[in-house]
Amino acid sequence: MKYLSAKQVLAVLEAARENSNRDWAMLLLTFRHALRSKEVRQLKLSDISLTDGTIRIERAKGSVSGVQTLDAHKGEPTLDEFVALRAWLKERVEDGSKVLFPSQKGGVMTRMQLGRLFKQYAAVAGVDRALAHPHVL
């Protein structure tokens, strides 16, 4: 198996949610919109509209960019993008970068930082180390 089961994805998201609203929202958007590491790390505040319920995605590697709908998952709050984004935006401190998910030092997070975060939550969720990287989302 080269991907996570639905149960494993939920466990990773729950581990992130318990630790950090930023990480939870970031990993949830990565999962729900099949974002590459670079795509989620470079999202801007202006790419999200909670009013319209949309996210603008600038795809990498020649994929088609565009606007997608945010999901308000009624049955499972951990999968509700509105809940996750509102929680994160309430505590997000503006660092001048306009990046939606800035690193702790400000500005765009590195690929290595995102990878480390995912590995951390995957370990808490009991995911096999071979699957502990953001590509499996």
Side-chain angles (χ1 to χ4, degrees):
M1 180 167 78
K2 290 195 173 25
Y3 55 88
L4 299 181
S5 68
K7 192 174 181 180
Q8 288 173 311
V9 170
L10 188 58
V12 169
L13 292 172
E14 286 172 347
R17 184 179 187 182
E18 289 170 15
N19 188 64
S20 162
N21 284 324
R22 178 199 67 178
D23 299 349
W24 168 40
M26 182 172 58
L27 294 178
L28 179 57
L29 291 181
T30 300
F31 165 64
R32 299 289 307 183
H33 301 281
L35 299 176
R36 290 179 174 93
S37 169
K38 182 177 184 176
E39 294 166 351
V40 74
R41 291 182 294 110
Q42 292 186 344
L43 282 173
K44 302 269 187 276
L45 280 167
S46 58
D47 292 330
I48 298 290
S49 173
L50 294 178
T51 309
D52 297 339
T54 59
I55 177 174
R56 168 142 183 66
I57 300 168
E58 199 60 47
R59 294 289 185 181
K61 297 189 176 182
S63 297
V64 179
S65 299
V67 176
Q68 294 185 10
T69 304
L70 293 171
D71 185 39
H73 200 283
K74 301 295 183 212
E76 178 55 67
T78 301
L79 297 176
D80 189 318
E81 292 175 289
F82 288 93
V83 171
L85 285 166
R86 281 190 187 105
W88 166 236
L89 292 173
K90 195 183 307 179
E91 67 187 48
R92 183 188 177 281
V93 176
E94 180 52 56
D95 64 354
S97 70
K98 304 293 186 208
V99 173
L100 181 59
F101 302 115
S103 71
Q104 289 181 335
K105 294 180 181 174
V108 177
M109 188 180 297
T110 67
R111 183 177 54 81
M112 295 300 286
Q113 287 170 317
L114 177 59
R116 269 195 305 274
L117 287 171
F118 189 83
K119 278 186 169 102
Q120 172 189 326
Y121 298 125
V124 170
V127 171
D128 186 307
R129 289 184 61 180
L131 292 174
H133 54 85
H135 285 104
V136 298
L137 288 176

